[in-house]
Amino acid sequence: MRKFNIRKVLDGLTAVSAVASASSAAQQQAAGNRETEIQETLQSEHFQLCKTVRHGFPYQPSALAFDPVQKILAIGTQTGALRLFGRPGVECYCQHDSGAAVIQLQFLINEGALVSALADDTLHLWNLRQKRPAILHSLKFNRERITFCHLPFQSKWLYVGTERGNIHIVNVESFTLSGYVIMWNKAIELSSKSHPGPVVHISDNPMDEGKLLIGFESGTVVLWDLKSKKADYRYTHDEAIHSVAWHHEGKQFICSHSDGTLTIWNVKSPTKPFQTITPHGKQLKDGKKPEPCKPILKVEYKTTRAGEPFIILSGGLSYDTVGRRPCLTVMHGKSTAVLEMDYSIVDFLTLCETPYPNDFQEPYAVVVLLEKDLVLIDLAQNGYPIFENPYPLTIHESPVTCCEYFADCPVDLIPALYSVGARQKRQGYSKKEWPISGGNWGLITQSYPEIIITGHADGSIKFWDASAITLQVLYKLKTAKVFEKSRNKDDRPSTDIVDEDPYAIQIISWCPESRMLCIAGVSAHVIIYRFSKQEVTTEVIPMLEVRLLYEINDVETPDGEQVPPVPTPGTGSNPQSIVPQSHPSTSSSSSDGLRDNVPCLKVKNSPLKQSPGYQIELVIQLVWVSGEPPQQITSLAVNSAYGLVVFGNCNGIAMVDYLQKTVLLNLGTIELYGSNDPYRREPRSPRKTRQPSGGLCDINEGTVVPEDRCKSPTSDVKDNSFSRSRSSSVTSIDKESREAISALHFCETFTRKADTSPSPCLWVGTTLGTVLVIVLNLPPGGEQRLLQPVIVSPSGTILRLKGAILRMAFLDTTGSLVPPAHEPWREHNVPEDKDEKEKAKKRRPVSVSPSSSQEISENQYAVICSEKQAKVISLPSQNCIYKQNITETSFVLRGDIVSLSNSICLACFCANGHIMTFSLPSLRPLLDVYYLPLTNMRIARTFCFTNNGQALYLVSPTEIQRLTYSQETCENLQEMLGELFTPVETPEAPNRGFFKGLFGGGAQSLDREELFGESASGKASRSLAQHIPGPGGIEGVKGAASGVVGELARARLALDERGQKLGELEEKTAAMLYSADSFSKHAHEMMLKYKDKKWYQF
């Protein structure tokens, strides 16, 4: 027995040694009986695991920043994530290791760097000059809590306000504290007897960098003179302050307060505000104060050359506007626009033409970060229209309930879906280009089309173009359109089996070649769709109702005839709708008043207009049986070549011919076995002590108590005798322990040991590890296919594995994958001419297998993966030639047979967080990496592998995480990622004008180095904050050192990275670095040398 040990440390993930070992048929049978050896090309070096990109809206956003020169947007979240957005297609995701909430973000404008402040009182400097941004420095405050930060444009000194009301100053080059501190008691002196509260605002006067405006929560504002180290003015107000903003001339500022008021102050008149505004307050007569309103959480004050300034604010609505949506208010001159938002506002920023605070701001747009959306408002157009958002931020528009991933699709699919989706676009957007336009795209090294399909709680399905690590929505399908909607909760039908989201999608089965789509919904409904580019109106929606129940029929019962069904309201007027019954049944309301023969949802009986795209072919609904609700569907498959759809649940299996609109098969799971009755099996003890595992029932019906899971299927049958009642009342424990259908696969293969040629069949896998084969006898194609019946019969073939069956696939004699037969797509809504009809008659279903015309001597291999193990079975002999126990202690959540590097493998994701791949057919372990401990059902429900080493899952309710297990993709990833930082000239500073230069006035500059440097202010207390070097690496050093910080930064950064060569820096010097002590001395000398120079002189 060989043990495969694969150790890899990739992307911070440590692989663990493969525990399973392959046991081959050589241990079970004589070597002479072995089938011909298949040459396998995949080796462990073809595999490597790493995250590629994250798409979607940042989950639980908490902070927002914008670089007006680079035109890059940054969003921080409550879980410590950082998302950066440039032009459409340029996105980046980073994560703070601590996972603490991001409270504020500050760009070093046009420097390719960003400072983040976290709720755990740490500051981090991110280098954005590399494709995967990294932290260069961190600073952890020990004694004080960070509440607000401010970094002036083109300054290297960051002001940090704290909960205690103090302000500390951080050098962003070295990430060390200055000895200069503004203490709260010095700032307010005797103006207040009590503590002023935390610092909620810091900004320097746009016209005088030496004057710092400090806002305290209690309502006090102080204008601090940095040079004289004392307050020039103190402004006191009796309402708490939320935010402060300057007029660009530096003579006025505006404050927003907790009572819904705005106060405008003249800098030199601290006694009372120049003006008080209550934007949403009702003006009372007799000059009384307006009624108080909700707090104004933020205000911005932006000026224009040509007209009135803009005052933009969030919050401040009056308290009597109950149920009103959150609003952004734009005040411009005498007009006030109130813009309603769908979600609460987290933050907003006004985008302006200039980065200089002392120039006319010329605002052109507002970015509004909402709890679950990002909105951009065009300020330059009348009515303030929004920009059409080009980012894929609507994944969560309705919660995602399932998803599927298809790589290497037919090339005509994406254009076809795009063309029908383009008609669904909303109108009324701004006509301007999307203003967040920074960065550059990466190189496209992958040329194959990729599609992601997401199913949602409201019954909608979205198709996404996911080619080359981007994501763009192509087309949206609303499956709920076919059903009557209840207007309110009281009006809901009593047949509902779920409290909410009755249309939620549970399973998607899609054939990319024929474009046939089939979905299963939570109300035990299945809808089959055909793709068409023509609009049609369907007069009567084709519908079938199926009675699928878990019962044991008594063969000797005399009353076994069919009882004619009573039509239900949805079916009476429909000539095509029938209620097929393969069991005796009573009328639609049985004698004891129980619901019977009624579906959960009511199909519309009016004509339905269907736009180009996916159009309904057939609706199938399971019905209530004797007061028992239908059970949710656990497995689904559609085949376009056979014209069949099949689905199963914990009661049984049903097969429907969607061309003839008839039910072909309707069996309880027990009946599938025929004479091989599972209850008569002797070795039943392993079933009773089955390990609690997470099969489909777990995912669809919530986690099961282990005791319930261990019950045998016969737990309610005493002494192995059949219950005589037609349908035993079923307890919830029994529902869980029943044998459900967990996997379905149409194929053309050998159905019995004696077969000499392959034939169409259906392979059925159950939650108890059984695989059964059903033979399909199809009539000839063309018109005969619609007239003659499809004959379905069990083959008697039964195979068994440990654990619920998850996936099945077939290999030909060379080891290549045999895809299920499919019909090529054609337009069905256009009448065919005679030639086409003749072609259709001759058309055979396509199966791209090299072995489609098999000789008698050739064989196939069935690959079957269960929750616990995988087996490769030779056909037609049905000998198990390879077996692999994937996991003993956990269970497989998802298994897929996928192609990679012109070969195929089995990829598995286990509940214990391991991702594994196995070669085929020999099931050699190739990769075993501990990737992700399973934390919730969302990951279990959405994880999927696809071809070419791609995989994805829903990492949060709003975001898709994509990853690769392909070594080649990992190597190419760096090239494929976009560049966030692009060299851009900083705009020229505003002209001071002749008279301002002659007589003073204009912007006053300040040599901050002189004030805050170590020589002037001394060293900061060591216990106050602790410096932590970041893992940014030499690439990060190079990026930061070539920026504004010049020689001094190079010295400082080299100190942090001592031991590495500086040969990759601009001078290409290869001198070894000195020790830390000598280098800090050198840095100090250099700092003194350059202290009188401005940043642009370096």
Side-chain angles (χ1 to χ4, degrees), residues 404 693-700 703 709 742 804-807 865-869 886-887 890-896 907-916 932-945 953:
E404 292 295 336
S693 68
L696 267 149
C697 291
D698 275 12
I699 291 178
N700 290 324
T703 310
R709 263 306 202 163
S742 57
I805 306 297
L806 298 178
R807 191 74 60 210
C865 175
S866 80
E867 289 178 332
K868 294 285 184 183
Q869 61 181 193
I886 299 169
T887 174
S890 183
F891 53 92
V892 178
L893 281 166
R894 177 81 183 208
D896 285 297
C908 298
F909 173 56
C910 282
N912 60 9
H914 285 251
I915 287 177
M916 304 168 167
L932 176 90
L934 176 66
T935 48
N936 53 40
M937 292 310 290
R938 182 180 57 250
I939 296 170
R941 199 188 285 269
T942 57
F943 200 105
C944 44
F945 297 96
Y953 61 95

Side-chain angles (χ1 to χ4, degrees), residues 417-573:
L417 288 164
Y418 180 81
S419 68
V420 294
R423 306 175 194 209
Q424 301 176 327
K425 294 214 168 158
R426 276 178 48 197
Q427 302 300 313
Y429 289 113
S430 167
K431 294 177 174 61
K432 291 190 178 165
E433 289 287 305
W434 181 251
I436 302 161
S437 55
N440 279 321
W441 294 308
L443 292 170
I444 297 172
T445 56
Q446 291 175 353
S447 55
Y448 50 86
E450 296 174 73
I451 289 176
I452 294 169
I453 306 178
T454 51
H456 300 263
D458 65 354
S460 62
I461 286 176
K462 286 182 182 171
F463 290 78
W464 304 82
D465 176 3
S467 311
I469 69 168
T470 60
L471 193 70
Q472 182 187 3
V473 71
L474 291 169
Y475 170 71
K476 180 178 173 181
L477 169 68
K478 294 177 180 173
T479 68
K481 270 198 323 192
V482 70
F483 300 110
E484 298 281 4
K485 286 230 173 59
S486 47
R487 285 180 182 80
N488 52 41
K489 285 195 175 176
D490 308 328
D491 188 30
R492 279 234 311 262
S494 57
T495 51
D496 269 12
I497 55 170
V498 284
D499 293 337
E500 51 189 33
D501 300 326
Y503 313 110
I505 308 293
Q506 274 190 308
I507 310 172
I508 297 166
S509 177
W510 187 52
C511 173
E513 287 79 15
S514 66
R515 305 185 190 173
M516 288 300 294
L517 172 71
C518 191
I519 63 100
V522 75
S523 296
H525 63 281
V526 170
I527 310 176
I528 304 152
Y529 289 91
R530 229 184 245 285
F531 186 83
S532 171
K533 293 180 179 177
Q534 309 289 321
E535 186 176 289
V536 292
T537 299
T538 308
E539 294 301 322
V540 178
I541 295 162
M543 187 181 78
L544 286 176
E545 289 175 2
V546 177
R547 225 177 133 82
L548 191 59
L549 68 159
Y550 185 80
E551 68 171 6
I552 297 121
N553 282 331
D554 189 351
V555 182
E556 289 144 21
T557 310
D559 54 58
E561 312 92 39
Q562 296 276 3
V563 177
V566 175
T568 54
T571 65
S573 61

Side-chain angles (χ1 to χ4, degrees), residues 870-918:
K871 282 185 179 179
V872 174
I873 289 155
S874 178
L875 299 176
S877 67
Q878 294 181 16
N879 291 330
C880 173
I881 57 165
Y882 297 104
K883 184 171 108 181
Q884 173 68 259
N885 291 321
I886 299 169
T887 174
E888 295 293 336
T889 53
S890 183
F891 53 92
V892 178
L893 281 166
R894 177 81 183 208
D896 285 297
I897 289 100
V898 290
S899 66
L900 176 72
S901 304
N902 299 318
S903 190
I904 51 166
C905 64
L906 167 67
C908 298
F909 173 56
C910 282
N912 60 9
H914 285 251
I915 287 177
M916 304 168 167
T917 61
F918 302 92

